[in-house]
Amino acid sequence: MTDVYRERETATLTAPPVNLCGDPKDSGEFLWDMARDCRERQIKAFWLVSLGVKGYLLVATDRIKGIECPDLVSGAYANNNYWQIAWQRGYDWFGQQAWGTIGLGVNAAHHRSHEQLHLHISKARQGNPGTVPGVKAQLDKAAKAGEIAKDWKSWPAHVIAVTGEDQSGNPQKRNYRAVHIDSFANLNLFKALYDNVVVPGKTEKMEDQTMIVIEAGTGAADGFYVLNSSDKLPQGIGVCDSLLLCK
């Protein structure tokens, strides 16, 4: 794949819109209060990791409400590869254990429980033997059938149905835009989503999007699936919980 979304070497450091990104003076939001006061912030780290309900959360240490902040796409935070850091932490902690397929996810603004950017580091749902295949198995099958895009421009047109689970453990089939990439070590996935789904679609907004990353094949050497959905996509969904064991 091309490196269209390679991270910029320098950030603009311009002040982001307060209404979309939040104000550093904000208080009363648990994750932001924790990030603001954390020692990691004092040593200029742009992330920290916190224990989640199930799995972990990678939390931004700058004041960023969530996926809708435009400076994640182009601005002060566009050079921060939160996704790559989250993957590295997940792999380091769980890659050598029988923990399952590692997955990362971010929820749409109106579906999240915290108003501070956080990526879920969790495992892909494993399905039910004999009835519903695991999420990764479904994606691998779709890829072999040519149903998953191989480049960013084709991403919006490749919509597949994936069966996950609702919060009660019942099968939940939803539609996702799906693309396979070799790596995101030098990619801004927020920008890729904005440029290829939000801008061309015109009716889509970043605040409505969920994005999920799941390793393909037998591991990172086989690349990754990047999935996107929203409540506005027919039979879509605005949370990553259906495919990842987050809550």
Side-chain angles (χ1 to χ4, degrees):
M1 295 189 62
T2 61
D3 290 334
V4 175
Y5 300 102
R6 184 174 296 278
E7 294 175 75
R8 298 173 309 166
E9 294 181 358
T10 58
T12 63
L13 301 181
T14 55
V18 171
N19 60 329
L20 291 178
C21 297
D23 191 316
K25 297 189 292 293
D26 290 343
S27 63
E29 159 52 50
F30 173 74
L31 289 184
W32 168 235
D33 290 345
M34 176 182 67
R36 181 191 57 213
D37 299 333
C38 180
R39 181 177 178 276
E40 297 298 325
R41 180 175 173 81
Q42 298 173 14
I43 60 175
K44 307 300 183 183
F46 59 83
W47 58 274
L48 61 83
V49 173
S50 172
L51 184 65
V53 177
K54 294 181 179 178
Y56 290 81
L57 303 176
L58 184 136
V59 183
T61 56
D62 292 293
R63 182 60 175 128
I64 307 171
K65 285 185 178 180
I67 193 171
E68 70 274 22
C69 178
D71 261 22
L72 289 170
V73 172
S74 177
Y77 314 129
N79 200 44
N80 296 348
N81 197 336
Y82 302 99
W83 294 91
Q84 180 65 17
I85 296 297
W87 165 256
Q88 290 171 344
R89 298 283 72 75
Y91 183 80
D92 289 346
W93 291 334
F94 309 126
Q96 306 305 319
Q97 305 175 32
W99 199 67
T101 300
I102 298 170
L104 311 174
V106 65
N107 290 330
H110 52 288
H111 283 294
R112 64 190 181 225
S113 54
H114 292 284
E115 292 295 304
Q116 175 66 13
L117 178 67
H118 58 284
L119 304 185
H120 292 271
I121 307 172
S122 189
K123 65 178 180 178
R125 293 190 180 272
Q126 298 175 313
N128 297 302
T131 56
V132 179
V135 169
K136 181 176 174 297
Q138 294 178 60
L139 295 174
D140 286 341
K141 181 178 180 181
K144 290 180 180 178
E147 298 173 355
I148 293 180
K150 297 181 180 180
D151 62 82
W152 292 113
K153 289 186 178 180
S154 302
W155 187 19
H158 286 72
V159 178
I160 63 172
V162 184
T163 300
E165 297 179 13
D166 63 19
Q167 293 304 306
S168 297
N170 301 311
Q172 184 179 57
K173 181 181 288 188
R174 290 291 184 267
N175 286 339
Y176 300 85
R177 303 175 182 95
V179 63
H180 177 272
I181 61 175
D182 295 329
S183 170
F184 50 93
N186 296 305
L187 302 179
N188 182 337
L189 293 182
F190 290 114
K191 181 172 174 56
L193 175 62
Y194 180 78
D195 287 351
N196 293 284
V197 173
V198 175
V199 172
K202 296 182 180 180
T203 60
E204 297 277 2
K205 295 181 179 179
M206 281 294 280
E207 65 192 48
D208 298 323
Q209 310 303 313
T210 184
M211 186 159 55
I212 302 160
V213 176
I214 295 175
E215 60 184 355
T218 58
D222 292 322
F224 302 86
Y225 302 117
V226 181
L227 307 178
N228 157 251
S229 191
S230 75
D231 291 336
K232 293 184 177 180
L233 181 70
Q235 295 301 308
I237 192 170
V239 296
C240 61
D241 306 11
S242 180
L243 303 188
L244 304 181
L245 192 63
C246 299
K247 297 179 180 179

